[in-house]
Amino acid sequence: MHLAGRVTAASPTTDRASAADRRSLTANATLAFVLAGMVNSVLHEGAHATAGLILGLGPTISPFSVSYATDGSANEQIITASAGPVFSLVMGLVLMNAARRWGSGFGRLFWMWLSFMGVMNFVGYLFIAPFAQAGDTGKALALWGATTPVFIASALVGVGGQFLLARRFAVEVKRYTRSTTEERQLAYFPWLIGTPIVIVLSLAELLLLAVPPVVLVIVLAYSVAFGIFAPMQFIFRSKVSNTYEALELRPVYVPGVVATVAVAVVLIALAGAGGLPLG
C-alpha cells in the first residue's frame, strides 16, 4: 500500500512534464510552420526569377510575385510560369525523403513542413487553375491553349494530390506523436495558429507592393490553404502507423525565433522597396 501511494503521488509531476512537452511541441511546430511558409514562398518565386534570368527577361523578384522587363514569347511565359510549381514539387519530394533525418528537434520540424508545403504548392496550383488563370499553372495552361476538359482534369488531379499529401503527412505525424492530443499539438494547432500569422505578414507585403486585386485574392487564398494538408491528415490518422521517434525540443528555440523574425523583416523590406531587380 505504501509503494502504491508513492507511485500515485508521482503521477501529477509526470502529467505536468507531459503538458510542458506538449506546449513545447506546439510552440516549435508553429514556429517551424511560419518559417517554412516564408522560405517556401521565397524559393518558389526564386525559381520563377531564375527561369526569367536564364531567358534574359529581366526579372524583378518580390514576395509572392516576379515581374519581367519584357514578357517574352508565349513559350517563354509558359516556362517562367511553370518554373515555380515544378521546382516546388521537386524540392518537396526530395526533402520529404532526403531531409527526414536532418536535425533532431526544431530543424526536423522545419524540414518536414517545408517539404510538404513545396508539394502543396504544386497540387494547389493544379486545383485553382480553372478558377484563377492568373495563377502559375492556370496561366501556363491558358497560354498552352488548354481546353475546358484539361482545366477540369487539372483541378481533379489537384484535389487527389491534396488527399494523397494529407495521407503522407499523417504518416509523419504518427512518427513524432504517441496520442491524439500530441497529433493536435503537432499538426492542428500549428496550422490554426500559424496560418493567421502568415496571412497578416502576406497582407502587409501585398499592401506595400500595391498589387492588383486579382493577385491579392490569389495570394491570400494561397496563404489560407498552403498548409491545409495538416488538418486533413486527421482523415487518415486511424489508417496509418509508424515507429515513434522522440524529438529533442527546447521550450523556445531562440535561433528559430531569430530566423523567423529576420526572414519576415527582409520580406517586408523587399516589398517596401518594390522588389529586387535581377540581371
Side-chain angles (χ1 to χ4, degrees):
M1 292 296 293
H2 179 63
L3 289 176
R6 290 182 62 183
V7 172
T8 302
S11 60
T13 301
T14 303
D15 290 343
R16 286 195 295 271
S18 298
D21 289 343
R22 289 195 295 269
R23 287 194 296 271
S24 178
L25 180 59
T26 299
N28 280 271
T30 301
L31 186 64
F33 178 96
V34 175
L35 179 59
M38 292 189 293
V39 171
N40 176 58
S41 178
V42 170
L43 294 175
H44 179 89
E45 299 305 334
H48 287 302
T50 300
L53 194 61
I54 292 172
L55 293 172
L57 302 180
T60 295
I61 187 172
S62 60
F64 306 112
S65 66
V66 176
S67 60
Y68 304 95
T70 176
D71 290 335
S73 66
N75 285 338
E76 288 173 332
Q77 291 182 59
I78 291 173
I79 292 171
T80 55
S82 302
V86 171
F87 170 82
S88 293
L89 174 64
V90 173
M91 176 197 74
L93 292 175
V94 169
L95 290 180
M96 199 177 291
N97 294 281
R100 197 190 67 72
R101 293 188 178 276
W102 293 359
S104 58
F106 176 84
R108 184 78 63 88
L109 294 174
F110 169 77
W111 293 117
M112 179 188 74
W113 283 119
L114 184 61
S115 64
F116 280 86
M117 288 175 180
V119 178
M120 184 61 200
N121 251 353
F122 180 80
V123 299
Y125 273 116
L126 286 176
F127 171 68
I128 68 170
F131 318 107
Q133 293 186 16
D136 294 343
T137 303
K139 179 180 179 180
L141 288 176
L143 288 167
W144 182 53
T147 59
T148 298
V150 173
F151 277 102
I152 294 174
S154 173
L156 292 175
V157 171
V159 172
Q162 289 180 36
F163 278 94
L164 289 174
L165 189 65
R167 190 186 190 286
R168 180 66 179 79
F169 190 67
V171 175
E172 291 304 304
V173 172
K174 286 288 187 181
R175 189 188 308 278
Y176 302 122
T177 60
R178 294 162 294 184
S179 66
T180 303
T181 299
E182 288 187 354
E183 288 176 26
R184 294 193 189 101
Q185 307 297 323
L186 177 60
Y188 180 68
F189 289 120
W191 170 79
L192 187 66
I193 300 168
T195 298
I197 295 173
V198 172
I199 290 172
V200 170
L201 291 171
S202 301
L203 185 59
E205 294 160 10
L206 292 168
L207 292 176
L208 286 170
L209 287 167
V211 299
V214 64
V215 175
L216 180 67
V217 171
I218 291 173
V219 172
L220 290 181
Y222 160 80
S223 299
V224 170
F226 79 113
I228 197 64
F229 56 84
M232 285 177 63
Q233 73 91 26
F234 286 95
I235 300 172
F236 305 101
R237 64 171 301 276
S238 63
K239 301 178 178 65
V240 300
S241 61
N242 209 336
T243 303
Y244 174 70
E245 295 180 21
L247 291 167
E248 299 176 13
L249 298 173
R250 304 175 190 176
V252 178
Y253 186 64
V254 176
V257 174
V258 172
T260 302
V261 172
V263 173
V265 169
V266 169
L267 289 177
I268 290 174
L270 183 62
L276 176 66
L278 301 174

